[in-house]
Amino acid sequence: MTTWHARMIAADNDFDGAPLLRGEFHLDDGHGDVESATLFLSAFGVVEAWINGQRASEDLLTPGWSSYEWRVRYSELDVTELVSTTTVIGLALGNGWYRGRLAWAGGSKYYGDELGAFVELRVRFADGHEQFIGTDASWTSGPSATTANDLYDGQDIDARRFDDAWLDPGFASNQWVGVHVLDDDLARLEPYIGPPVRRQLELTPVEVWTSPAGKVLVDFGQNVVGWIRASLTGPAGDVVTVRHAEVLEDSELGTRPLRSAQATDRFTLSGGDDVFEPTLTFHGFRYAQVEGWPGGADALRDGGLTAVVISSDMRRIGRFETSNPLLNRLHENAVWGMRGNFVDVPTDCPQRDERLGWTGDLSAFAPSAAFLFDSRDFLRDWLRDLGLEQSHDSDLVPFVVPNVLKYIEQPAEFGAPDSAAVWSDAAVWVPWAVWRAYGDRRVLEEQFESMAGHARRLRSKLSSNGLWDTGFQFGDWLDPDAAPDRPWEAKADKHVVATLCAFRTASLVAAAADVLGGHAAAAEFGQMAADLRAAFAEHYISEGVILSDCTTVYSLAIVFEILDEADLGFAGRRLAELVEQSGFHISTGFAGTPFVTDALTMTGHLDHAYSLLLQTENPSWLYSVSMGATTIWERWDSMLPDGTINPGEMTSFNHYALGAVVDWMHRTIGGLAPLDPGYSRFLVAPQPGGGLEWAETSLETPLGLASVRWELSNGHLEVSALVPDGSQAILRLPSAEDEILSPGTYSRRIVMEGVATAL
């Protein structure tokens, strides 16, 4: 455990929920030059730091949202170039997740009443001497230009209160007061595992116009997460109001999906040249309604607004493109959906009064996330919180992580909080996806206690018949045939889904134990899986028909490999029949959607999988694309064909879970799939179809860049592949023998009936 010299402090005056804090120090004399200076920074709330007037880093919303009851993260920053003989450290605080509004009940301050700040500066000199400088009772506090701030509701900034003098040596003001030390032993402080949140890119408006109601509207052309930076000049005291939303409805800003979130920033002008950037909030938006802008829409067309896109700072590693523009847009929508929802916590949505780390969404999307971005440490960080929540609640994996819902009365239909299939299974499915993607044993070592604890709790929930057939279940949430206000009413029997998920979980925990050399645990959970398989066959299968006889139950049973050979053959045929009977429209929800195309492919119905993927009518993946979507939607029909917003209370236009199909697209269309963890061995096996003429996929694996490109031309399939050093690939082409590929670049051409030959 780190020994700290600084303390967590709070301002004596709350200063509109956004106090500034400052400390002024002199470096010790007689020890030579400064060799290094490291700043450790944390807060109860969110904090930004300056040293001698310069930002200490480009990190945003530090220290993010963790399970604050047991874990508050700190960042470690190299500030060697910023310190001087007299050093002023300035801190700006905001409410963030710690004290701001969270979830739909309207409550706040779930973690504490007071904002706090923590800084420790460790300076090492040429002779080895170390000096420790940090927050303590000698610091002072004062007002900032921010007069209100909340992640859901927005930020108010009064430019007349901007004054950088507080960062100057010798600063004093009668508006400033003292601070007090908070009663906290700092044992909760832990370093970040995952990356910080940072600015990613900027967008300028593609259109500015006046609506029928006389409102000035701005379109940035892409649904993003972040805020709008405003640069303008106007009369002192005038207020510019910017409200954000994802869509338009009836030619006006569509704010109903925001529910109680105001998503509104207000900027009070100074009379000079002002630049406003509300970094203590964030919004999910494509459109903005702007009121009070000097000169109105005409002036705005000349510039002044910039959308600043933020996300956890993850490197893009996976790419995919085809000859079909709609599929390319679908894939890009999944990328944007992940970028916008991976803002420190993997949230369900970034715009309404929710923005929670729903476990079920990540259970569905983790393999896709691990391919699109290097999300290994981001997911390890979140799994650390999952394990903490679980270990403090009798191994119950909550619906959301961090679990703020434990402080909020839940809807009656949820019943008493308990383990739920898919959602609680994130404890197992997510670390397994990380292991498969990156080959990093740490995630299994770190999470195995959590994985096993969840499986054992799950086992305790099984009835005497061996099935998981009691308690609340989300089931196949958001089945397109469910009523908009009853998303849990799916065609798939919820206990069939739960038992199937229990089987998968037990199987994966057994596999993880085997990787780690835990033979007893491998046997324990292997037996649990065998018992579940037997119970499932006895109670839920009759002459091949699985209870509730719908797309989702067959998809899960096939992909989870619970069926014997005879039942597998029937399930594949029945699944294809159901998909065909649906007119190749989607008929699955959160549980079935990530697996339906794989189930069809595994049972020899690739054409059905392509027809399902390429459907453009509602409900389908491409319906939203045909409606102009630039992110993945929560519902298949978040916007109805007539352009109105779905009447359901939950209607997000940026919800990554249903984009989990991109994992199948990478592996099956693109033809790049892991055989061993971390792509030390991978499969090159493109399966053309759906009228596609070509596709290309690449991934920066832990061993280097792997890529596959294929093209159909004059009755031939031409395939090229890149195998990085240290890895091996298996080339599998239609009607050809498997070929082992060592590191290097390869090209092959086959007649579609045919034999592979080198070009």
Side-chain angles (χ1 to χ4, degrees), residues 392-602:
H392 286 85
D393 196 8
S394 304
D395 272 326
L396 170 59
V397 178
F399 301 155
V400 300
V401 174
N403 185 21
V404 70
L405 296 185
K406 60 179 175 280
Y407 302 118
I408 301 169
E409 186 176 354
Q410 296 304 299
E413 57 266 20
F414 282 14
D418 209 337
S419 300
V422 182
W423 277 252
S424 299
D425 290 318
V428 175
W429 298 9
V430 175
W432 186 256
V434 174
W435 158 244
R436 291 290 298 169
Y438 304 111
D440 188 342
R441 283 172 56 97
R442 288 179 303 170
V443 69
L444 298 184
E445 294 165 348
E446 292 161 353
Q447 295 303 128
F448 188 76
E449 183 178 352
S450 164
M451 297 168 77
H454 166 60
R456 290 180 179 126
R457 180 184 174 92
L458 193 158
R459 185 171 57 201
S460 75
K461 299 297 174 183
L462 303 181
S463 298
S464 59
N465 58 13
L467 304 173
W468 192 5
D469 59 2
T470 60
F472 168 79
Q473 296 289 347
F474 289 99
D476 197 25
W477 185 258
L478 285 172
D479 179 322
D481 294 320
D485 60 345
R486 302 182 71 81
W488 59 88
E489 291 188 346
K491 297 182 293 296
D493 182 276
K494 62 183 180 181
H495 298 132
V496 173
V497 170
T499 303
L500 283 163
C501 291
F503 171 79
R504 184 182 197 228
T505 284
S507 301
L508 294 183
V509 178
D514 190 57
V515 170
L516 299 175
H519 303 301
E524 174 190 353
F525 296 108
Q527 186 60 53
M528 178 180 169
D531 293 343
L532 282 160
R533 183 198 302 273
F536 186 87
E538 179 182 355
H539 297 286
Y540 286 151
I541 303 177
S542 176
E543 297 182 350
V545 177
I546 299 175
L547 183 66
S548 66
D549 190 37
C550 64
T551 307
T552 287
V553 296
Y554 291 110
S555 296
L556 300 185
I558 291 166
V559 176
F560 296 174
E561 299 182 341
I562 199 172
L563 303 174
D564 62 25
E565 186 174 350
D567 288 334
L568 177 61
F570 177 90
R573 292 189 297 274
R574 181 59 180 148
L575 175 62
E577 289 175 0
L578 290 168
V579 168
E580 193 166 347
Q581 288 170 10
S582 74
F584 299 100
H585 292 87
I586 281 289
S587 58
T588 51
F590 268 39
T593 294
F595 304 106
V596 60
T597 47
D598 266 310
L600 289 164
T601 305
M602 290 168 62

Side-chain angles (χ1 to χ4, degrees), residues 295-307:
D298 290 339
L300 264 179
R301 292 187 185 99
D302 295 329
L305 295 182
T306 302

Side-chain angles (χ1 to χ4, degrees), residues 660-740:
V661 70
V662 300
D663 177 50
W664 177 86
M665 292 163 62
H666 301 148
R667 291 181 286 105
T668 306
I669 301 177
L672 180 57
L675 290 172
D676 290 340
Y679 291 81
S680 58
R681 281 196 323 130
F682 62 92
L683 184 64
V684 176
Q687 299 186 57
L692 298 183
E693 297 173 357
W694 59 267
E696 56 187 13
T697 307
S698 65
L699 176 67
E700 295 179 36
T701 77
L703 295 170
L705 181 66
S707 66
V708 179
R709 176 182 169 84
W710 62 264
E711 184 171 357
L712 291 174
S713 178
N714 298 321
H716 291 79
L717 172 63
E718 298 177 0
V719 178
S720 59
L722 173 64
V723 182
D725 289 344
S727 64
Q728 183 186 82
I730 305 298
L731 177 64
R732 183 170 298 157
L733 299 178
S735 304
E737 295 290 329
D738 284 0
E739 180 182 354
I740 298 175

Side-chain angles (χ1 to χ4, degrees), residues 171-510:
F171 169 80
S173 170
N174 58 15
Q175 290 185 293
W176 281 61
V177 299
V179 301
H180 53 278
V181 174
L182 294 177
D183 183 19
D184 190 275
D185 64 5
L186 305 181
R188 289 183 285 172
L189 289 183
E190 290 188 11
Y192 269 84
I193 299 171
V197 176
R198 289 183 176 158
R199 297 169 181 85
Q200 301 298 311
L201 64 154
E202 298 183 353
L203 301 176
T204 54
V206 297
E207 187 177 4
V208 179
W209 74 100
T210 301
S211 76
K215 304 296 186 181
V216 175
L217 299 178
V218 180
D219 178 9
F220 288 94
Q222 171 64 51
N223 197 6
V224 303
V225 174
W227 51 73
I228 293 174
R229 183 174 63 239
S231 304
L232 72 159
T233 303
D238 279 9
V239 177
V240 172
T241 301
V242 182
R243 191 165 196 199
H244 309 73
E246 296 180 304
V247 295
L248 302 176
E249 186 174 31
D250 297 328
S251 301
E252 304 292 340
L253 199 68
T255 58
R256 182 174 60 80
L258 301 175
R259 299 192 304 214
S260 68
Q262 295 303 299
T264 301
D265 300 327
R266 297 177 181 85
F267 306 138
T268 301
L269 309 187
S270 70
D273 294 335
D274 293 324
V275 178
F276 299 91
E277 188 160 2
T279 60
L280 300 181
T281 188
F282 65 86
H283 313 289
F285 67 99
R286 171 176 171 171
Y287 300 94
Q289 178 177 298
V290 182
E291 298 179 7
W293 191 273
D298 290 339
L300 264 179
R301 292 187 185 99
D302 295 329
L305 295 182
T306 302
V308 179
V309 179
I310 69 169
S311 180
S312 287
D313 199 26
M314 303 172 294
R315 182 169 54 95
R316 179 81 185 274
I317 59 173
R319 300 184 184 276
F320 173 87
E321 190 175 5
T322 75
S323 58
N324 186 318
L326 294 180
L327 282 186
N328 296 342
R329 183 68 249 188
L330 174 67
H331 191 269
E332 194 65 12
N333 289 359
V335 172
W336 276 101
M338 178 177 171
R339 180 182 285 125
N341 278 293
F342 278 44
V343 178
D344 199 68
V345 169
T347 56
D348 58 327
C349 61
Q351 74 297 93
R352 68 183 179 222
D353 55 358
E354 191 165 351
R355 312 186 196 187
L356 305 178
W358 283 95
T359 48
D361 299 58
L362 196 54
S363 284
F365 195 73
S368 302
F371 187 99
L372 295 174
F373 290 86
D374 182 357
S375 52
R376 166 176 23 191
D377 291 339
F378 176 94
L379 295 172
R380 287 178 55 228
D381 201 310
W382 181 80
L383 285 166
R384 167 85 173 125
D385 286 319
L386 182 149
L388 284 169
E389 297 282 2
Q390 176 187 1
S391 67
H392 286 85
D393 196 8
S394 304
D395 272 326
L396 170 59
V397 178
F399 301 155
V400 300
V401 174
N403 185 21
V404 70
L405 296 185
K406 60 179 175 280
Y407 302 118
I408 301 169
E409 186 176 354
Q410 296 304 299
E413 57 266 20
F414 282 14
D418 209 337
S419 300
V422 182
W423 277 252
S424 299
D425 290 318
V428 175
W429 298 9
V430 175
W432 186 256
V434 174
W435 158 244
R436 291 290 298 169
Y438 304 111
D440 188 342
R441 283 172 56 97
R442 288 179 303 170
V443 69
L444 298 184
E445 294 165 348
E446 292 161 353
Q447 295 303 128
F448 188 76
E449 183 178 352
S450 164
M451 297 168 77
H454 166 60
R456 290 180 179 126
R457 180 184 174 92
L458 193 158
R459 185 171 57 201
S460 75
K461 299 297 174 183
L462 303 181
S463 298
S464 59
N465 58 13
L467 304 173
W468 192 5
D469 59 2
T470 60
F472 168 79
Q473 296 289 347
F474 289 99
D476 197 25
W477 185 258
L478 285 172
D479 179 322
D481 294 320
D485 60 345
R486 302 182 71 81
W488 59 88
E489 291 188 346
K491 297 182 293 296
D493 182 276
K494 62 183 180 181
H495 298 132
V496 173
V497 170
T499 303
L500 283 163
C501 291
F503 171 79
R504 184 182 197 228
T505 284
S507 301
L508 294 183
V509 178

Side-chain angles (χ1 to χ4, degrees), residues 42-55:
S42 190
F44 295 160
V46 293
V47 63
E48 298 173 354
W50 288 260
I51 296 182
N52 294 325
Q54 302 295 313
R55 279 291 300 266

Side-chain angles (χ1 to χ4, degrees), residues 56-99:
S57 79
E58 293 302 313
D59 299 354
L60 302 165
L61 301 169
T62 302
W65 188 13
S66 55
S67 294
Y68 294 132
E69 301 93 337
W70 312 288
R71 178 175 181 246
V72 178
R73 293 171 296 183
Y74 62 82
S75 56
E76 181 176 343
L77 308 172
D78 181 356
V79 295
T80 307
E81 300 301 318
L82 300 182
V83 298
S84 58
T85 302
T86 298
T87 291
V88 177
I89 303 177
L91 304 176
L93 284 173
N95 291 313
W97 296 273
Y98 185 85
R99 202 177 70 164

